[in-house]
Amino acid sequence: MIRSRLVALLRSAIASLQAEGFLPEGLGAPVEVSEPANPEHGDFACNYALMVAKAAGKNPREIATRLAQALESAPELAAVEVAGPGFLNLRLSPSLVGAAVADVLERGEDFARLPAEQPKRMNVEFVSVNPNGPITIGSGRGAAFGSTLCNVLEAAGHTVHREYYINDGVNSEQMRLFAESVRSMCLGLPFPEKGYRGDYVSEVASKITPSGDESVGWFQARSQDLMLAKQREDLAAFGVWFDTWFSEQSLHDDGKVEAAIQALHANGSADDRPHRTKLKLGKKGVIEDVEIEAQPTDEDDAEGAGKTLWLRSTKYGDDQDRVLKRKDGRYTYIASDVAYHDDKFNRPPNADKLLTILGPDHHGYIGRLTAVVAALQRGKMEAPSSSFPLPDPESRIYADAAERDACQAALAEAKEKLEVVIFQLVRFLKDGQPAPMRKRDGNIYALIDLIQEIGKAAAPEADAAEQTRIGRDVARFFYLMRSHETHLDFDLDLAAKQSDDNPVYYVQYAHARICSLLEKAREAGFEASEFDESLLADRRETALVKKIADLPFEIQRSADDYGVHRIATYAVELARAYHHFYDGCRVIQPESPDLSRARLALCRATQVALRASFGLLGISAPERM
RNA sequence: GCGACCGUAGCUCAGUGGAUAGAGCGUCUGCCUCCGGAGCAGAAGGUCGAAGGUUCGAGUCCUUUCGGUCGCGCCA
């Protein structure tokens, strides 16, 4: 679009200066344009001359002046000026502005899709909560963020597989407790200590008709299926779906856990020697001390009890070794993770990147997960040949230099293949006070309740489906407005208000306004048609077109660093640019049909850009409000 | 102790190493005979937590430091 066109112009100007020997080859500085804060500095500015001045051994203003001369004849530019210490200020010609509008109209919402420079095949896992309760408002952020990130990555040209990991291991103590709570309600048994209370538990219990099988296992299977169905339904209402719902238990049933762990055993990443290594880490992960902890032998170990199986994760940057298999033979949660992360690379086939989106409480889990993937990688890599003894403290972690090098190479590879993205805490405010996600009566604040409360408060007269739509739009937008890596205050009172305080209505209003205007134009006899591309010269028109054309650029940036809140910010800025334009430029003017047609084209292009960004954000584009 | 995140307007937060740091809310003042006023224009409000450093240029990068939130299980 506009930026890429300008960069292309600049590149050819630079090439011509290099051809005539004014600039040396291979300066390496990126050619970029930025939008100056001050409109007097043009539509776009380029700092290339400043960047390369030192390397080229020339005065930056002199370089800028020569670049300006080389650009003078470009029809896309109305003016080129050298300013300040060596900026190049560019003004767009109306024809370039008009051509951008025509381009958007021709390509439709596909204008917001771009080819990736290095397309990746990515598995994105998000939400993945235990099936022992509904999706909470806390998980809502992960759901909104994860689903939007997937949309953005796809728009940026990557292949994305959306995945939900079901923590349904039959050995899970939390699931067992949940099942026992349901069972005691169904069968009228004494309630387990620390059991799950709350309406959602009795709701599950009420849906179960006893079969005669009174085992906890039977109840666990039934209640988790019901809970999972509820989660699926709530997420669907929130506009979130998955390509794969992956069952943890299936890994055990298929023998994949056993197989994966044997592989780790074989490549030296796991063993059953009775000790645990712990690292004392200083700043920047420097190993200050290594502690080898002898494993205590329990008096009451039953004869025949097995040995603890350890993942030697300290070889892969983790601060302590982790238990894979308990003495009693039960696998730990992390054991399933080993098999799971091996399996995940099949979705999409030959995936080259796993993205795992976790809440702030799982931050301590990154080192462990990375170690798991590194241990898996090691089995697939060539072992280095050289071998010599290591000095302390490394000698207490690795057998020799060959092993150390192999482990560190595997770790580096793992860090390339697995990326854990942590989103930060959400604090919910009601009446200016923090509203707890878990209530004292054992109930939790469910995402679906939030959606419906917002919908009801905003549109009391609307039907249930419409209220859900409104609640979903508002909630998603609130979650997505802020960077995922900063703490978020979610003002429940503000979300429930249907007023201009609420930014989601601001952006949707712009869309509804356009729809209404286009309808009016049709009545006045203006059909979608060709327009004169040179007529959009008002500063508000230029500003609006620039903003429309920025969407692919924002998608690119968001896909690069996962900062998808930019899309929400973008939508607000686009809506603002439209409202400014609308206020200052009357669109339908029967006495000026050519101008009217050009402005209608601009309105339609704005509509396309709004719809594309709403699609990424997972919110609706209402034609009336 | 270690780690992640945060510290920018009264509040909630944006901000690509660039020129005079922005928006929303809140406070004040205006704008519908006219395409949807859920809008627009304007005013007021700032030592970007602090100190060093890198650079032609730092809210942004590096080091240190002070505050705040959260996390560091043979739970999942």
Side-chain angles (χ1 to χ4, degrees):
Chain A
M1 296 285 295
I2 293 177
R3 282 174 194 269
S4 51
R5 186 80 202 98
L6 295 179
V7 168
L9 283 173
L10 285 159
R11 285 219 173 98
S12 73
I14 291 161
S16 72
L17 293 191
Q18 285 170 333
E20 64 189 65
F22 178 76
L23 282 179
E25 305 278 340
L27 288 167
V31 181
E32 288 169 341
V33 291
S34 62
E35 247 182 297
N38 185 342
E40 285 173 21
H41 297 149
D43 292 313
F44 287 94
C46 178
N47 62 356
Y48 186 78
L50 286 161
M51 303 278 286
V52 301
K54 187 170 277 182
K58 292 217 155 51
N59 179 317
R61 278 197 69 102
E62 189 190 351
I63 300 172
T65 305
R66 295 290 295 264
L67 279 173
Q69 286 162 0
L71 287 166
E72 241 162 23
S73 58
E76 290 91 339
L77 298 174
V80 182
E81 293 146 20
V82 176
F87 292 106
L88 211 49
N89 292 339
L90 311 173
R91 266 168 236 280
L92 306 179
S93 75
S95 66
L96 179 59
V97 172
V101 171
D103 185 50
V104 170
L105 292 178
E106 191 183 324
R107 290 160 67 194
E109 288 184 40
D110 280 348
F111 97 92
R113 307 190 78 82
L114 43 147
E117 276 177 33
Q118 296 176 313
K120 290 196 176 121
R121 307 177 57 76
M122 311 176 87
N123 178 296
V124 183
E125 184 207 325
F126 58 109
V127 186
S128 297
V129 299
N130 292 334
N132 60 2
I135 307 292
T136 67
I137 53 175
S139 306
R141 189 175 198 184
F145 172 67
S147 57
T148 297
L149 178 58
C150 288
N151 296 342
V152 168
L153 291 170
E154 271 176 345
H158 302 291
T159 301
V160 175
H161 191 95
R162 295 159 169 82
E163 182 146 329
Y164 186 113
Y165 185 56
I166 307 166
N167 297 290
D168 60 353
V170 294
N171 286 331
S172 158
E173 291 180 21
Q174 290 176 19
M175 287 310 300
R176 191 172 186 83
L177 192 57
F178 177 62
E180 280 174 3
S181 308
V182 172
R183 175 168 168 264
S184 74
M185 284 184 186
C186 283
L187 304 178
L189 302 171
F191 201 73
E193 197 185 337
K194 291 186 181 171
Y196 285 66
R197 298 182 184 276
D199 297 341
Y200 64 96
V201 186
S202 42
E203 202 174 306
V204 166
S206 72
K207 286 182 184 160
I208 294 179
T209 41
S211 65
D213 184 344
E214 298 192 348
S215 71
V216 174
W218 186 84
F219 277 92
Q220 188 167 332
R222 290 293 297 129
S223 47
Q224 99 192 354
D225 283 353
L226 286 163
M227 211 63 253
L228 208 57
K230 165 84 172 147
Q231 290 184 354
R232 214 182 267 246
E233 195 182 312
D234 291 359
L235 286 168
F238 195 51
V240 176
W241 55 275
F242 295 90
D243 294 299
T244 297
W245 292 71
F246 194 92
S247 157
E248 175 192 350
Q249 183 58 33
S250 75
L251 293 165
H252 290 280
D253 296 343
D254 297 348
K256 287 182 176 167
V257 174
E258 183 69 30
I261 288 196
Q262 274 174 12
L264 293 197
H265 212 133
N267 77 26
S269 299
D271 64 67
D272 60 9
R273 281 172 298 172
H275 67 86
R276 160 182 244 165
T277 309
K278 279 190 175 180
L279 307 184
K280 188 163 165 50
L281 298 176
K283 296 278 177 197
K284 293 193 160 184
V286 175
I287 299 170
E288 286 181 346
D289 197 14
V290 178
E291 205 177 311
I292 310 286
E293 229 174 50
Q295 191 176 358
T297 47
D298 291 337
E299 295 294 325
D300 50 314
D301 273 353
E303 65 281 6
K307 293 174 171 176
T308 303
L309 183 68
W310 296 92
L311 172 68
R312 298 303 175 189
S313 48
T314 40
K315 295 182 181 191
Y316 306 101
D318 198 5
D319 62 346
Q320 56 177 300
D321 292 339
R322 307 288 168 174
V323 175
L324 285 168
K325 197 182 194 179
R326 304 173 178 102
K327 279 184 183 172
D328 61 12
R330 285 152 60 225
Y331 285 111
T332 61
Y333 182 74
I334 199 173
S336 339
D337 260 335
V338 177
Y340 181 47
H341 281 81
D342 203 20
D343 205 72
K344 250 182 169 180
F345 283 104
N346 297 317
R347 294 179 303 280
N350 301 313
D352 40 36
K353 186 134 198 164
L354 308 181
L355 222 58
T356 304
I357 296 166
L358 298 174
D361 47 335
H362 286 72
H363 157 258
Y365 200 57
I366 298 176
R368 223 165 307 183
L369 268 188
T370 310
V372 162
V373 174
L376 287 166
Q377 287 302 318
R378 180 155 165 218
K380 296 168 186 162
M381 298 171 70
E382 299 261 334
S385 51
S386 71
S387 172
F388 52 88
L390 287 165
D392 202 63
E394 285 183 320
S395 63
R396 285 191 271 171
I397 305 173
Y398 306 105
D400 53 31
E403 190 192 26
R404 182 199 61 189
D405 294 347
C407 288
Q408 290 184 349
L411 179 57
E413 184 74 8
K415 285 180 173 169
E416 284 293 308
K417 298 211 167 192
L418 173 76
E419 200 162 351
V420 181
V421 182
I422 302 284
F423 62 87
Q424 294 299 319
L425 208 76
V426 189
R427 194 171 55 144
F428 292 87
L429 298 174
K430 199 159 191 119
D431 305 322
Q433 295 298 311
M437 273 185 284
R438 292 184 184 278
K439 302 173 188 171
R440 204 166 291 163
D441 60 6
N443 274 311
I444 59 172
Y445 198 158
L447 180 61
I448 191 69
D449 294 339
L450 172 70
I451 293 171
Q452 285 168 357
E453 279 166 25
I454 293 173
K456 276 181 190 146
E461 309 299 329
D463 63 29
E466 176 67 0
Q467 288 179 342
T468 300
R469 180 194 67 79
I470 293 172
R472 185 238 302 155
D473 287 355
V474 171
R476 285 191 70 102
F477 203 86
F478 267 63
Y479 281 119
L480 293 170
M481 273 191 306
R482 308 299 182 211
S483 161
H484 65 280
E485 52 189 28
T486 97
H487 300 209
L488 167 68
D489 271 2
F490 194 123
D491 187 332
L492 296 165
D493 303 309
L494 178 58
K497 264 201 291 184
Q498 184 171 27
S499 71
D500 53 340
D501 303 358
N502 198 325
V504 70
Y505 299 126
Y506 181 84
V507 298
Q508 290 182 324
Y509 178 70
H511 183 266
R513 210 177 203 187
I514 291 170
C515 293
S516 160
L517 178 63
L518 293 178
E519 179 57 35
K520 199 131 243 166
R522 269 190 293 277
E523 287 167 12
F526 289 102
E527 293 299 324
S529 59
E530 302 275 306
F531 67 100
D532 184 338
E533 294 180 10
S534 68
L535 290 180
L536 299 172
D538 187 276
R539 65 180 167 82
R540 301 180 195 84
E541 293 167 333
T542 309
L544 178 54
V545 174
K546 276 162 65 183
K547 192 51 81 177
I548 293 169
D550 258 349
L551 181 54
F553 175 70
E554 296 291 352
I555 288 171
Q556 181 65 62
R557 290 209 297 150
S558 301
D560 287 346
D561 67 2
Y562 312 143
V564 298
H565 66 288
R566 287 202 197 88
I567 305 299
T569 305
Y570 169 82
V572 171
E573 289 171 356
L574 176 60
R576 178 170 300 120
Y578 182 75
H579 289 310
H580 286 187
F581 155 76
Y582 181 91
D583 187 64
C585 304
R586 189 171 175 84
V587 177
I588 302 172
Q589 301 184 58
E591 66 282 5
S592 311
D594 288 340
L595 183 59
S596 297
R597 269 191 287 274
R599 286 182 172 170
L600 282 166
L602 178 50
C603 289
R604 293 203 311 277
T606 309
Q607 185 184 45
V608 168
L610 281 170
R611 280 186 184 160
S613 41
F614 292 177
L616 294 170
L617 296 169
I619 66 173
S620 62
E623 298 188 3
R624 271 181 294 279
M625 297 175 63

